[in-house]
Amino acid sequence: QVQLEESGGGLVQAGESLRLSCISSGSKLRFDAMGWYRQTPGKQRELVAFSRGSTNHRVSTNYTDSVRGRFTISRDNIKNSVYLQMNSLKPEDTGVYYCSAEQYRPFRTVYWGQGTQVTVSS
């Protein structure tokens, strides 16, 4: 079974940094895409950062406007892991951050981690 395990969340003050890690296990194939989503209770889950590509395609990254320039996603395709460096954190960044991974073949499959809590105080 494929499992994703997030870590690195915590409580920080505005302006500080955190680095989230997502380590996968159990996959027989290299993920075609990995990324991060976040959710605050009562709100829609939001895409934070995403990385698409494989060894046969150029890797591209996407960020939501609110984090662009502050967050950086990085990925290790060999290890099927993904990381999120979060700098200059704001209270609005507070939420549960979820790791995701996708495989496109033989059919599209999406996996999710349990989530890690990030709380930013003012």
Side-chain angles (χ1 to χ4, degrees):
Q1 289 182 299
V2 173
Q3 288 187 294
L4 304 177
E5 297 184 11
E6 303 102 331
S7 62
L11 173 63
V12 297
Q13 292 184 312
E16 296 182 343
S17 299
L18 284 173
R19 180 175 173 84
L20 305 183
S21 298
C22 175
I23 309 300
S24 68
S25 62
S27 178
K28 297 181 179 180
L29 300 173
R30 189 170 298 165
F31 295 128
D32 296 297
M34 298 189 76
W36 294 92
Y37 291 75
R38 68 186 178 191
Q39 186 169 30
T40 299
K43 294 184 178 180
Q44 180 71 38
R45 184 175 295 186
E46 173 190 30
L47 172 67
V48 177
F50 216 74
S51 175
R52 295 179 176 85
S54 67
T55 56
N56 299 122
H57 299 88
R58 182 178 180 181
V59 175
S60 62
T61 57
N62 298 300
Y63 298 92
T64 189
D65 289 343
S66 64
V67 309
R68 189 174 293 110
R70 298 187 296 118
F71 291 10
T72 303
I73 187 171
S74 59
R75 188 172 155 205
D76 187 334
N77 286 343
I78 297 176
K79 296 181 179 179
N80 272 346
S81 302
V82 66
Y83 310 89
L84 186 67
Q85 178 66 43
M86 305 185 294
N87 297 328
S88 301
L89 283 163
K90 303 176 180 179
E92 304 91 270
D93 296 318
T94 294
V96 179
Y97 284 69
Y98 296 90
C99 173
S100 70
E102 298 184 20
Q103 293 176 334
Y104 299 153
R105 296 177 179 84
F107 50 85
R108 183 169 181 265
T109 304
V110 182
Y111 304 96
W112 294 95
Q114 294 285 332
T116 184
Q117 177 70 45
V118 173
T119 303
V120 184
S121 62
S122 59

